[in-house]
Structure formats: C-alpha cells, structure tokens
C-alpha cells in the first residue's frame, strides 16, 4: 500500500478526440486548398480577389488557433481526502468580491454571493471576506451589515444539514417542494428550514425597501461618510463589519467592506485597480498566502471548493509550478436552448479542456484561486531564492519591459552588478522596495513576509486603528503613482480585460495554471439574459483583446522574450481573435453584397466552388453532432450558430480600442446587468428569449449587414445588376450565402417592424440606412469606374 504522503494531491489526465482531430485537419486542409486556389488564380486579380484572400487567410489562422488549442484536452482530478491527511493546518484564504454599480448589480445578488462564501466548508478562522464597492453605495454597506446577522445562523444551518448550494436565493427558490423528500427531512429540519426561509425573506424585504427609497437613512453616524459623495468622487471608506479577533474555529469569517478613493482627474483602472486595492488592504489586515476572487453574481455551488483548489496549489509540484487554479464558469437559470448564445457550454467542454492540457487555462476574472507570491511578481525560477533575488528580477523587468524591442545587454550587466553587491553584503534597501510596492512601511513588511511564506503578525499584536489607517493610505487613489502596481506587480493595467492580461503575464514568466473541476462544479452565476447585455459583454471583451494585442503584453512578445509556450501562444491568439475577427468577418460579408450589386463573383469557379461548399457543410454537420452528443438540442445549436454571426460583426469593440490607441477617446468599462430572476424561480414569461434592442451602437453593425443583404438580393431579383459577358457574373453561391445571412439576422428583421423594447430604434435604422445607401453608391461608382 503506497504511503499517503507520497501520493499526489491531484493528477492531470489527458485524453483524445480522434474523430474530432481528423475533422479539424480535414477542414484545415480545405482552407489551405482554398488559399492555394486564390494564389494560382492570380490572373483573375481584382479588388474582390484581394479582399477575399486577406479574409480567408485570417480565417485559416483562426482555425489553426482553434484546433491546436483543443488538440490535447485534459481534466484535473483532486483528492481532498489526501490533503486533510497530509496538511494539519490549512492555509488562510482571503476572499475578494467585487461590485461596481448598485443599480446594475443589485445588493441582494452581492449579498448572496458573500453569504455563500462565508458558509464555505473551511475553517472559519482561516477565511476573510473583502467586498470592494466601486459604486460607493451606502446601500451595499447596509446590506452587508444586515447579512452578517443572518450569516451567523445561516452558516450553522448549512454545516449542520450539509447544504450544497449555500446562496440562500438559490437554496430557497425551489426548495419547498423538496423539503418532504430531503434526506434530513425530520420535524426538526422542517422547523429550522422554515425559520431560516422566514429570516431570509425578512432580510430580502429590508434590502428591497431600502433600495426603493430615495434616501433610506439619515446619513449620520457610520453612514455620515457617504454624505456628499459621488461614485466617481469620494474618499476611501473601510468598515470591518465582522472581525473574528479570537480566530475561533466555529466563529464567523471576517467581513470587511472597502470603497477605494476615487477622484475625477485620477485614473482608477476599472476592476484591475479595485483588485490591487483589495490585495494591498488584505495584505495589511490578514495577508493570507492565497486569494480567491469572484464576481458579485458567482455563488458557491460546492462548499468544499477551497479544499479542491488547495490540492492543486499545495501539491509538491503545484507549489513550484502553478500560479493559480481557475474554476470554470457555469450558469444557473439558463434560458431554454440558449437563445443569446452566452452559456458557452461547448466552449468550456472543448476549448476549455484543450487549453487545460497546455500551459493551463486563462485567468477568466472570477472563480480563481491566486497565490499571493505570484501576484507580488514572483517567478517560478526564483521561488526558492528568497526575497532579495526576487527584487532583482522585478527591478530588471522594469527596465527590460521599456526596451523590449531593443538590445538589452546592459540589463544583464546591471543584474550582475546588483548580485555582486548582494554578495558583498549590500542588500536591496527599503527605499528600493518602496519604489515597487509604494511608500507604506506596513505594506512593505507584509510583502516581505508574504514572499517568505510567513503570516503578517501575531493576532495579539494587531493594532486595529493603526491597521485601518495604513489600509486607508494604500487604498487612496494616489498611492500607486511611481510604483510597480499594475505594471510589474498586482493586476495588470492597460486593458479592460485585466483578467486575461494578468494571466498572460504569469504564463509569460513560466508559471502554469490548472483547471479545478470538482463534482459538483465550484461556482455558478447568472449569464446575460437579453441581447443588449450579451452584445455589451461581447463588445467589452473585444475591446480588451485588441488592447492586449497592441500592447507590450502581446502574446507574440511573451513567446519571443518570455516563457510562454508556442501552443499556449496560439491559444491566446484564439481568444484575442475575438477582437480582431469582426473586421475580417465584416469585410467578407460586405463582399457578398458588393459582388451581387456589381454582378461580379469572388467564389471559385467550376470544381473549385466545391471547396467552400464542403467546408461549410462539414463544419455545420460536425458542430451539430457535437451539440447532439452533449445532450443539447438542434435549436440550441442553431441559436449559437446564429449568435456567432451576429456577434462577429460587432466591430464597435475594435473601433473603441483603435480610438484609444490613437488617443481620440478613452476606454469605457460597461458593466453587464445582473438579474436574479431566472426561468427556474417561477417566472414564466412568454417573451423570455425574444430579442430586445436599444440605442446602443452595437446594433448598428447588425442592422447594416441585414439592410445590405436585403438590398443586394432585391437588386438581383429586380434585374438591376449591370450586364456582364462571360461567366464572371454573380453566381448562385453569393445568393445562397446572402440568404443564409438574412436568416441569421431574422430577429433583426422582425425588430424593424416591432415597437418598444422589441423594436430596433429609429435612430439605429436611420444610421444603418445611410451607411447602406453610401455602400450601394460606392458599389455603383466602382462599376462605372
């Protein structure tokens, strides 16, 4: 029998999809054949030929990014029973919850997330929950205070009856019919269940009443600090709602409210800035070696998720190689057949598992366990060389990043000089340390201890007023100036998708990451339940990816000058393609209408036409089979195919990033609305799943594409095309593709004739009509020319 101490705490198992591999290679072969056809038909060179070749070349690259990313899928199996036998004293974990808008992210949702975290099956004296309120709302603080009273009894109830879903909203929404069949369905349980539900309903009622009042409290006492504040202009506010000073095992985890300082003329760096403030404040107050960050709408679905993550992070190999453990996102209350294509079931099943088999999954911004040392800038190759060596690397990286395209010989000379100085007894000074982590002496001490794997200070020695003063200092908006925060340490700045950029920085240093997928899954959340929210989310992701691609954090640089593996580089290019592909997709779709209007063609002629036909047929049939094998419906498959066409012409994200790069405008972080209602909580709306629209510019592109195809088909049917001799006129291929697009955009066509929120606003219709008129005019002009 093997020694328990010699067994791994987790194992990674690779598996193969042989049929999928064959299909992927076949499609790649056909794409390359199409490119070869374009090249050998050089004698047919024209504007349409050049545009088609450019777009198809990028589509081929995109396909390479996709199929190489899912070539070697893997799953991770954890063994928490071995962890409990081997580790007697589990490490502390700081829990981060971020919220930014009390209207778009209702406090009741944030409250449920916090309650589910406080009720984790983990020693409560090892947990501390920090809630970042970037909206600076007294309602959020009030809700947390009320929730702390309920949490004392809720935690006892969950652990007594081994409740799995520990967000009260999810637990009580459909639990009444199950109470009689619950395995603990005794009179005592039923009585406690009813009492807990009544208390939660009372808590929800209080928060709802407070939300509906314009001025729910007199802003005095502890709420006086919120007087004359604005969400973009307010001082730092930190409140210890519940402090487990005695560190009792059966007590309540610490709960701290933080609203960092914001001023109009100071950049706050969106969520990345909030995460860095949470890191600094928690470093002063608890300094746990591990940190879990979740969005305000991500509830704990597996109360043992921390133990599963610790299996990865505390394993003998994981301690040296793994920077973070990422739990996948899954969503509760999913609409039937996924009408807006945002459940991403197939994406996590194939792409997610494939990337897990490479250098590790991307950091997706939520449900992620981080190693504090890594957030502080530690690299795997210097993890055992102490804080002094680490500081050399950080200082050198500051210079190296500024001259990434230049020769850096002097950097290594600098390193040798500093190393020799250290050997002579001259350690890195506290002044140099403060240049990286800021001017707080208390924070610098906590950073040094964290890098050495030590706790901050003994609990008896904590001076609470002094700690709060220091925490307020590091949460001020000017603290990061002339430091390494957001550049070399902490969450990275420069992109509104700070999660992908931060994870890329860790992978560039040589760290790996692992996917934590216990059964049941660790977290569940709410996905956007209407088209405007889905399109806004897509726009934000696209903008962030373009920002990363044109920055010094680009995966190309991470591979050439860092330790990012080549296949991981291709995987990152797949996700960055979300921001770049809309340009090529829009040009390709516009080319269809151009060829119909001008009576020309860009598809291959003769037998060559079968190449794109075969690609389209194989791809559609194979993706359909994947959905059916996964237990999803044909309708769900079609909804996702349709939404992929609609989302992929959302060029607003690319343009937003382009305008920022040209310094014509600043990036705007648009928060996705969170709604607690779902199809499972008794809401049966016949209009659920219908497309709704608003005046957002994200709908201009889709409406324009629809008008463009309708006009092109009308011109063909009415015989208004210019007459051309020979076989170079518009063929059946262009017409069929145009009709296919009209079918994909059928909800937009309905929206033109609908009213209210189900109708496309007139302003959007006018903008699209003008763009199509201009497009047709230019097409006609090219024929005359």
């Amino acid at each position: 029998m093997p020694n328990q101490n010699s067994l791994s705490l987790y194992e990674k198992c690779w598996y193969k999809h042989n049929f999928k591999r064959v299909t992927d290679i076949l499609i790649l072969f056909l794409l390359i054949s199409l490119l070869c056809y374009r090249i050998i038909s050089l004698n047919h060179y024209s504007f349409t030929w050049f545009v088609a070749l450019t777009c198809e070349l990028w589509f081929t690259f995109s396909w390479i990014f996709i199929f190489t990313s899912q070539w070697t899928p893997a799953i991770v199996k954890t063994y928490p029973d071995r962890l409990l036998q081997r580790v007697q004293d589990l490490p502390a974990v700081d829990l981060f919850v971020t919220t930014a808008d009390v209207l778009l992210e209702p406090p009741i949702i944030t409250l449920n997330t916090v309650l589910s975290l406080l009720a984790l099956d983990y020693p409560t004296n090892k947990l501390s929950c920090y809630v970042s309120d970037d909206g600076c709302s007294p309602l959020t603080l009030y809700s947390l205070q009320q929730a702390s009273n309920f949490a004392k009894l809720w935690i006892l109830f969950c652990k007594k009856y081994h409740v799995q879903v520990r967000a009260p909203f999810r637990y009580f929404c459909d639990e009444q019919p199950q109470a009689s069949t619950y395995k603990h369905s005794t009179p005592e349980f039923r009585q406690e269940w009813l009492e807990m539900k009544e208390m939660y309903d009372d808590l929800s009622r209080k928060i709802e009443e407070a939300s509906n009042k314009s001025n729910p409290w007199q802003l005095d006492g502890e709420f006086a600090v919120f007087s004359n504040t604005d969400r973009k202009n307010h001082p730092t506010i930190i409140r210890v709602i519940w402090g487990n000073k005695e560190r009792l095992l059966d007590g309540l985890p610490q709960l701290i409210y933080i609203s960092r300082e914001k001023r109009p003329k100071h950049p706050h760096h969106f969520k990345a800035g909030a995460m860095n403030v949470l890191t600094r404040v928690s470093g002063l107050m608890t300094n746990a070696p591990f940190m879990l960050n979740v969005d305000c709408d991500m509830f704990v679905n597996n109360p043992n998720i921390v133990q599963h993550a610790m299996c990865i992070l505390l394993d003998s190999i994981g301690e040296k190689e793994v920077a973070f453990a990422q739990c996948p996102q899954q969503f509760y209350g999913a609409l039937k057949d996924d009408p807006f294509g945002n459940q991403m079931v197939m994406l996590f099943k194939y792409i997610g598992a494939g990337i897990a088999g490479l250098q590790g999954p991307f950091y997706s911004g939520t449900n992620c366990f981080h190693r504090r040392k890594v957030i502080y800038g530690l690299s795997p190759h210097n993890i055992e060389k102490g804080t002094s060596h680490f500081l050399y690397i950080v200082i050198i990286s500051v210079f190296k990043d500024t001259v990434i395209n230049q020769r850096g010989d002097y950097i290594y000379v600098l390193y040798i000089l500093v190393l020799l100085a250290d050997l002579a007894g001259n350690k890195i000074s506290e002044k140099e340390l403060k240049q990286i982590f800021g001017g707080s002496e208390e924070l610098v001490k906590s950073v040094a201890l964290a890098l050495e794997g030590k706790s901050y200070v003994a609990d008896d020695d904590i001076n609470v007023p002094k700690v709060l003063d220091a925490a307020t200092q590091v949460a001020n908006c000017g603290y990061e100036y002339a430091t390494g925060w957001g550049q070399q340490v902490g969450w990275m700045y420069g992109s509104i998708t700070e999660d992908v950029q931060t994870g890329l920085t860790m992978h560039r240093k040589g760290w790996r990451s692992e996917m934590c997928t216990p059964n049941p899954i660790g977290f569940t959340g709410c996905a956007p339940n209407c088209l405007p929210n889905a399109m806004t989310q897509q726009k934000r992701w696209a903008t962030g990816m373009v920002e990363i691609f044109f920055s010094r954090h680009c995966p190309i640089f991470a591979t050439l000058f860092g330790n990012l593996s080549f296949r991981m580089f291709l995987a990152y290019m797949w996700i960055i393609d979300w921001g770049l592909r809309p340009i090529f997709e829009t040009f390709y779709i516009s080319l269809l209408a151009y060829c119909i209007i001008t009576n020309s063609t860009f598809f291959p002629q003769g037998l060559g036409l079968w190449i794109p036909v075969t690609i389209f047929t194989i791809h559609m049939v194979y993706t359909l089979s994947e959905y059916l094998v996964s237990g999803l419906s044909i309708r769900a498959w079609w909804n996702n195919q349709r939404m992929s066409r609609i989302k992929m012409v959302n060029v607003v994200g690319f343009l937003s990033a382009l305008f920022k790069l040209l310094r014509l405008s600043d990036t705007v972080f648009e928060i996705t609305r969170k709604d607690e209602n779902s199809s499972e909580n008794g809401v049966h709306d016949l209009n659920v799943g219908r497309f709704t629209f608003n005046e957002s510019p994200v709908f201009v592109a889709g409406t324009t594409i629809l008008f463009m195809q309708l006009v092109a088909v009308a011109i063909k049917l009415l015989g208004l095309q210019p007459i051309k001799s020979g076989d170079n006129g518009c063929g059946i291929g262009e017409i069929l593709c145009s009709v296919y697009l009209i079918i994909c955009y059928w909800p937009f066509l309905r929206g033109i004739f609908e009213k209210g929120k189900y109708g496309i606003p007139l302003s959007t219709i006018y903008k699209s009509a003008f763009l199509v008129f201009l497009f047709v005019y230019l097409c006609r002009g090219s024929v005359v020319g």
Side-chain angles (χ1 to χ4, degrees), residues 411-423:
I411 294 173
Y412 303 100
V413 175
L414 174 64
Y415 175 81
I416 294 173
L417 292 176
V418 176
L419 184 60
L420 291 174
D422 179 51
L423 294 174

Side-chain angles (χ1 to χ4, degrees), residues 653-665:
F654 178 86
L655 296 177
S656 177
L658 181 63
F659 291 157
K660 177 190 173 183
L661 293 171
L662 297 176
R663 302 185 183 277
L664 298 177
S665 66

